[in-house]
Amino acid sequence: MTHRLVRHSDVNINRRGQLHRRDLLRALPAVGLAAGALGWTDLVSLQAEELRKKGMSCVLLWMQGGPSQFETFSPKPKHKNGGETKAISTSVAGIHYAENLPQVAKIADELCVIRSMSSKEASHPRATYLLHTGQVPLAAVKFPTLGSIVAHNLGDDQADLPSFVRIGARFQNSGSGGILGVQYDPFVMASAGRLPNNTTPNTPEDRYRRRLGLLGKLEDDYQQQGGEQAVKDHQQVYDKASRMILSPRMDAFDIEKESRTMQQAYGSSEFGRGCLMARRLLQAGVPMVEVSLGNWDTHTDNSKRSKDLCGRLDQPYAQLIRDLKQQGMLERTLVIWMGEFGRTPRINPRGGRDHFAPAFNAVLAGGGVKGGQVIGATDAGGQAVIDRRVGVLDLFQTFCHSLGIDADDENDTPIGRSIKIVDGGEVVEEVFS
Amino acid sequence: MRRSAAFTITLFLFLATAARADAAVPTPQATAAKIDNLLLSEIFAGKRQNLSSKVDDETFLRRITLDLIGELPTPGEITEFTFDPDDAKYSKAIARLLNNKLYGRNWARYWRDVILYRRSEDRALLSAGPVEKYLEEQFNTNVPWNKVARSFITAKGSIRDDGSTALIMAQQGRPDETVAEISRIFMGIQIQCAQCHDHKTDRWTREQFHELVAFFPRVAVRRDGQKKPPVFNVVADDGPAFRRANQANRLRGTPEHYMPDLEKPTAKGTLMKPKFFLTGKQLPLGTRDQDRRAQLATWITTDDNVWFANAYVNRMWSELIGEGFFEPVDDMGPDRKPNAPKALATLAGAFVESGYDTKWLITTIMSTDAYQRQSRDRRKGHEKPFAANCPQRLRGDQLFNALTTALGIPEGGNASTYLAASRGPRAQFNAGFGYDPSFDRTEVRMSIPQALAMMNSPLISRFMTAAPNTALGKLLAQIKDDEAAIVELYLRCLAREPTDKELKTCLAYRKEIASRNEAFEDLLWSLINSTEFLHRR
């Protein structure tokens, strides 16, 4: 046990962002830690609630390229538009998913599938922006992306880890902090396989600290010659960055710290590792993680390619939900599955499906969402929504409701125009009841 | 600290008049003096107490070098400049840098950012290289600003061959967004807020915005075949309506613009005539695209349109002094009051008289006392504007240049290819460190990933070691004396000599560390990571 305490002892820690050493010591006996049974993860998760302002957090599983609804959550095996994909039953009587998602089908009782998503944007960049921000692109205003909204509202400015981590390949128009400022930009990791870029000092820690000391001394002169505020701001960012990389909480980025069994449960794919890291980050107090999987843009050979993509989605997605549930975190974590649009009911001559915005799927779980249900419906051929149309704004209202964010809160643009977090739409009440 | 020789306005006047055959155009120095006097009376009630004092030679040289060519001055240039006894050395240095071809490139990159930071999608980055090349030439050959503006408004053709298409490409040719950007960039008027509803704070109406859109309905951006790397064309279509334009993937224009009905989004809307909101001048329906856009360009760039000259002057003033007459620079009015309205009117008037001469304007602003003062932190709300110059955070390109120069890093990549400016090492660096230059600079803040990159990036760190092949390694091999090596490092990184106190700190640090290489590596690391390195003072 002693070595763990030593490990924490030099961390300068405050109420929300980090553990107070004193708090830690106080917390230990309470959970029988004296027995030495708990590892690092348990230590930090003790206070994960405290680390987030409202205890809520969010994971966005972003399906880049626009997944086919027919091959995922809205199979239409009886109609020619449904193609070859069969439907399978799920853990909920009467609800069927596409055969490509056998593992996810087993946790259907946790999922709320919205089959009646509908929008007008069918180009990748514009729709990606819309589904990330709830707004169409506008030259004059850079709207904040969902993760930045969550970080701004639920994150703690004093935390040693970033409030918004984005894992996975880059794709355009997924947005940033925009008018909220760079401090709410995503902390981007190209891959979940290794520590994020530039978080390892190039020198041993004592030399790194020494350098910071020299830097501080050399700033004196400029500070006294008209640069007081500039130096102060600069040092604040450097302090925060240094605190982050010297923090023991950086372990949250290291999935090798998980047991073999746990790693295997998520699978070794890039997306699986991303999902596992997402769970670790949430445990360490990060309120928002976005993990992406692509490329769902199946203009050719849709059936086979969607099957393959579902193969990469199925296990990690199901495991993430299961794991969050087991850790007692699911109730306080909203897990969103969506892409920028769906795909055309008609299968094109190349066996593909093209972009289709009038009717597609989004799936919610956790965060107070009532699982085991389907909301909305399309006609027999999946051409049009015939029941309970849900627009993008409605969806964003629903996110905010789940996370306890006031969607009417306003943020100012650089030219002083106030913009609501979600400008219109209504909460889809059925999601929660 | 070394001081420059006294600054004599009269000598400047003499030199400038001699150089210019056209006596009708006011000289930069005469105009600068006039502006300083106006500021003194308009803002400071004739009192000079709170004005920051004149800058020292080293800071001035670093300032103008960054402002004009986006680079740090070399140690050689610094020595030469500070020891130059010539009274006119400031204006000589400005003129020398204006003739450097990097001047055009620096400002081309600035305007590239102005245009492309507001792109509606990333494919517009394909325009980065072409627009940079186009503007570099315009600035270096001193093409008048009204001509440059006209070329952006009337642009047509391949984005690869003609950089002036960048503004339209940035908005994918969507008429509403394109005219909003034209208005914002060239007139400092954000009329697009009236897009959906009548403007809350300004007097423009929704109808006036859509009348402006009506100059652009026939324009579209279309991909040129399946070329790789992709090329797009700005096209204009004067044919009959093809089909109802798909707003998401707009492949061709429509003959006329319809203002959407907010109540009935699916309805056709109201047919709009092209009409210019500032003057009410209009064109008949059916006018060809070429004539519509040429006429709009004329109405925007005419000498009578004070917004046009104001927008450019305000922006340049803000960039060089650190605060504009209006802030933010691209939202001037019509119902807002500038700091020092007479000074702005005088400077803008003289800019028009100069024939929209961009080199003239930059020389003029740099000749003012307002520019040549020592910098201070951004003023607090109750303090008066223009009492000092303001430190400016280096833009992505400037910082990239400063880093590569200070550390002796080769730029890498082939800068001349079509894609270099959107994909090369510089572009990647800019993606991490750049910012929208139209933003109020109080909003431009350093981020954690930026700090982490400066501190720990293996790419940068490699050049901060004292290996035999790095600039630091060579410096230490050449200069055996610690004090001299410290001075040299300061000159390279911050373009100045260390103060006595700094020198003492550095020498004390050097003594503490057994290895000379290690001590100097730490010092270099600290200088590169300092606030001062990141700002132009």
Side-chain angles (χ1 to χ4, degrees), chain A residues 139 172 202 219 229 234 238, chain B residues 122 177 377 456 461 522 529 531:
Chain A
Q172 59 166 318
N202 291 288
E219 296 268 56
Q229 191 60 42
H234 189 74
Y238 268 65
Chain B
D122 286 355
E177 292 299 304
D377 276 327
N456 304 325
S461 300
D522 293 353
N529 280 286
T531 313

Side-chain angles (χ1 to χ4, degrees), chain A residues 120-126 129 136-142 162 170-173 178-183 185-188 197-203 207-208 210-242 244-245 355 410 414-418, chain B residues 1 117-123 171 174 177 181 184 190 192-193 195 197 199-200 247-249 265 328 330-331 336 375-377 380 391 431 439-440 443 445-458 461 464 490 496 499 501-502 505-506 509 512-513 517-519 521-523 525-532 534-537:
Chain A
K120 285 182 192 158
E121 296 295 342
S123 86
H124 292 292
R126 293 181 64 79
Y129 191 83
V136 291
L138 211 59
V141 184
K142 290 295 164 218
R170 286 176 69 112
F171 46 88
Q172 59 166 318
N173 273 31
I179 56 170
L180 298 177
V182 290
Q183 62 272 45
D185 280 355
F187 188 86
V188 180
N197 286 341
N198 306 326
T199 52
T200 321
N202 291 288
T203 56
R207 186 171 174 202
Y208 175 68
R210 216 170 62 207
R211 283 181 165 189
L212 287 169
L214 178 62
L215 170 60
K217 273 189 209 155
L218 292 179
E219 296 268 56
D220 271 5
D221 264 59
Y222 180 44
Q223 189 157 23
Q224 285 156 22
Q225 285 174 38
E228 195 182 349
Q229 191 60 42
V231 171
K232 215 172 120 197
D233 292 347
H234 189 74
Q235 283 182 346
Q236 224 169 32
V237 176
Y238 268 65
D239 281 353
K240 204 169 172 211
S242 311
M244 170 180 161
I245 63 174
H355 304 177
E410 293 189 337
I415 60 166
R417 187 178 150 211
S418 296
Chain B
M1 194 155 293
Y117 264 94
R118 303 293 172 103
R119 64 186 179 272
S120 65
E121 54 178 274
D122 286 355
R123 285 188 298 191
Q171 305 308 326
R174 298 165 62 83
E177 292 299 304
E181 279 294 273
R184 180 184 77 88
Q190 303 222 9
Q192 80 285 349
C193 300
Q195 193 165 356
H197 47 74
H199 210 293
K200 276 184 207 158
Q247 286 298 304
N249 276 322
D330 54 4
D331 187 26
R336 251 150 266 188
S375 68
R376 276 187 208 154
D377 276 327
K380 316 269 183 295
F439 269 11
D440 184 340
E443 305 285 326
R445 291 198 237 170
M446 195 181 207
S447 70
I448 304 267
Q450 288 171 351
L452 289 174
M454 289 295 280
M455 287 194 285
N456 304 325
S457 160
S461 300
M464 289 199 226
Y490 261 84
R496 65 172 174 87
T499 62
K501 196 176 143 213
E502 285 166 340
T505 307
C506 294
Y509 187 83
E512 258 176 61
I513 312 292
N517 280 0
E518 199 176 312
E521 285 170 1
D522 293 353
L523 175 58
W525 184 93
S526 300
L527 293 177
I528 295 294
N529 280 286
S530 68
T531 313
E532 194 174 345
L534 194 68
H535 291 82
R536 91 95 169 94
R537 292 172 68 174

Side-chain angles (χ1 to χ4, degrees), chain A residues 95-129:
Chain A
I95 295 182
H96 293 84
Y97 295 167
E99 59 177 335
N100 300 329
L101 297 171
Q103 295 298 324
V104 174
K106 288 182 193 160
I107 50 130
D109 49 319
E110 302 292 351
L111 305 185
C112 170
V113 175
I114 302 174
R115 285 184 175 153
S116 50
M117 284 303 305
S118 186
S119 103
K120 285 182 192 158
E121 296 295 342
S123 86
H124 292 292
R126 293 181 64 79
T128 301
Y129 191 83

Side-chain angles (χ1 to χ4, degrees), chain A residues 237-255:
Chain A
V237 176
Y238 268 65
D239 281 353
K240 204 169 172 211
S242 311
R243 260 197 309 133
M244 170 180 161
I245 63 174
L246 296 176
S247 163
R249 216 183 282 279
M250 281 300 287
D251 271 7
F253 287 103
D254 187 359
I255 51 175

